[in-house]
């Protein structure tokens, strides 16, 4: 587990733009019961989360079509919530950071760490925007 003070600014990167933090299994279950589209970001302390994933998520929300619900779990901090979110992303193996778009609780688009690491934030945003335009 990472210290709360260490991850606070990393959490705020997403919560400051409207993401809801999910801390428990129940939080994840309730979020996934919502109708419409839900973007789940598995946040992380790694450099690719800071340089690529969180900025890419932020940039993607400038699109006219965007998810109805924005939620995040933090790998290495909210273990049970993260495990539950990852269970919903099967058949994709657990990775962080990662991003998944759900429509009415069904996984419709996935970005794994290998899609994020080493790619610029604008490329990640473009990928997400393509999914928003198709599913939102």
């Amino acid at each position: 587990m990472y210290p709360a003070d260490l991850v606070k600014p990393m959490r705020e990167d997403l919560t400051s733009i409207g993401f809801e933090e999910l801390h428990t299994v129940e939080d994840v279950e309730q979020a996934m019961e919502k109708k419409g589209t839900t973007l789940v970001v598995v946040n992380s302390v790694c450099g690719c989360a800071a340089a690529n994933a969180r900025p890419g998520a932020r940039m993607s929300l400038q699109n006219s079509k965007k998810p109805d619900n924005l939620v995040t779990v933090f790998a290495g901090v909210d273990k049970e919530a993260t495990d539950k979110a990852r269970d919903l992303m099967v058949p994709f193996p657990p990775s962080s950071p990662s991003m998944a778009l759900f429509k009415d609780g069904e996984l419709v688009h996935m970005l794994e760490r290998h899609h994020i690491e080493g790619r610029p934030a604008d490329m990640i945003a473009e990928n997400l925007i393509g999914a928003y335009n198709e599913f939102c």
Side-chain angles (χ1 to χ4, degrees):
M1 298 288 278
Y2 296 104
D5 289 345
L6 174 73
V7 300
K8 185 176 188 253
M10 298 171 204
R11 289 181 183 273
E12 290 173 349
D13 272 354
L14 295 176
T15 60
S16 67
I17 58 171
F19 279 82
E20 174 189 357
E21 288 185 302
L22 308 178
H23 301 285
T24 67
V25 168
E26 294 78 20
D27 290 346
V28 174
E29 290 171 344
Q30 289 174 0
M32 298 314 295
E33 288 173 2
K34 294 179 181 175
K35 292 292 183 197
T37 51
T38 301
L39 178 64
V40 179
V41 174
V42 178
N43 203 349
S44 173
V45 298
C46 72
C48 64
N52 311 76
R54 293 190 300 264
R58 183 180 309 107
M59 291 167 61
S60 75
L61 298 176
Q62 302 306 308
N63 192 46
S64 60
K65 289 185 177 183
K66 51 192 156 201
D68 301 306
N69 309 294
L70 304 170
V71 299
T72 182
V73 295
F74 208 112
V77 178
D78 300 314
K79 181 178 177 1
E80 292 81 14
T82 302
D83 289 347
K84 179 62 179 176
R86 286 175 170 164
D87 286 347
L88 301 171
M89 298 173 191
V90 169
F92 298 96
S95 66
S96 56
S98 60
M99 302 178 195
L101 184 65
F102 293 84
K103 184 168 186 172
D104 297 328
E106 179 184 339
L107 179 65
V108 294
H109 188 74
M110 184 74 191
L111 279 172
E112 299 175 83
R113 180 185 176 104
H114 70 88
H115 297 123
I116 296 169
E117 190 173 33
R119 289 179 173 75
D122 60 343
M123 183 180 284
I124 293 161
E126 287 176 25
N127 182 298
L128 289 172
I129 287 168
Y132 301 165
N133 289 340
E134 182 175 351
F135 298 107
C136 295

